[in-house]
Amino acid sequence: MVAVELASSFGWVVLTLIAINLEVFSFGVRVGGKRREKKIPYPKVEGDEEFERYYRVHYNALEGLALIITLVVLSGLWNPLVGVVSGVTWIVGREIYARGYYIAVEKRMVGAMIFHLGELIGLIGSVMFAVKLLSA
């Protein structure tokens, strides 16, 4: 049996996870605002290109939410700083992605590269945590 002891700095990982969820929630709020502005009734999600871009930003973030939460937690268990860097990189990348996508689909790529970098950092940290557990 392997016991995992949490450093007090793991609190920063927890705050990062809260920030990730708040960001995704904010994307949903933006979709709701755009829906009201464009007068798009529920349950429609198509018909207005600008609204569809807002909707897609939110939905895409939801698609990646389980992945980034898992990676931030696991990499943070190995090294809290790595978990935080992974999560903050994802948050910044998602916001840049959103702001670009809101303007035009083609403008989302820089943000996508940044948030995928956050995922990669988390993946590496998660593998390191697994190796640490298996070596114990």
Side-chain angles (χ1 to χ4, degrees):
M1 175 186 223
V2 176
V4 176
E5 186 175 322
L6 294 179
S8 61
S9 58
F10 193 80
W12 291 105
V13 174
V14 174
L15 289 174
T16 302
L17 293 167
I18 292 167
I20 287 169
N21 282 280
L22 287 173
E23 180 180 51
V24 174
F25 177 78
S26 80
F27 293 151
V29 170
R30 295 177 212 182
V31 171
K34 193 56 64 175
R35 181 181 291 280
R36 281 187 298 284
E37 177 188 319
K38 300 290 186 173
K39 298 179 176 37
I40 298 172
Y42 287 99
K44 281 186 71 171
V45 294
E46 50 189 43
D48 180 272
E49 189 176 320
E50 184 180 16
F51 170 77
E52 290 173 17
R53 289 194 307 269
Y54 275 70
Y55 180 83
R56 189 66 198 127
V57 164
H58 182 233
Y59 198 84
N60 186 266
L62 288 171
E63 291 170 340
L65 190 57
L67 173 65
I68 195 61
I69 287 174
T70 302
L71 295 176
V72 168
V73 169
L74 293 178
S75 63
L77 288 170
W78 174 64
N79 182 321
L81 180 60
V82 173
V84 169
V85 169
S86 169
V88 170
T89 303
W90 193 86
I91 290 167
V92 170
R94 281 288 174 182
E95 186 60 36
I96 293 169
Y97 173 88
R99 290 175 187 226
Y101 208 155
Y102 293 157
I103 296 166
V105 174
E106 302 78 23
K107 295 187 180 279
R108 73 191 194 285
M109 294 313 295
V110 170
M113 289 188 296
I114 295 169
F115 77 71
H116 285 310
L117 175 62
E119 293 166 348
L120 179 61
I121 292 166
L123 178 62
I124 292 167
S126 296
V127 168
M128 295 305 293
F129 180 58
V131 168
K132 178 181 176 181
L133 288 175
L134 293 171
S135 300

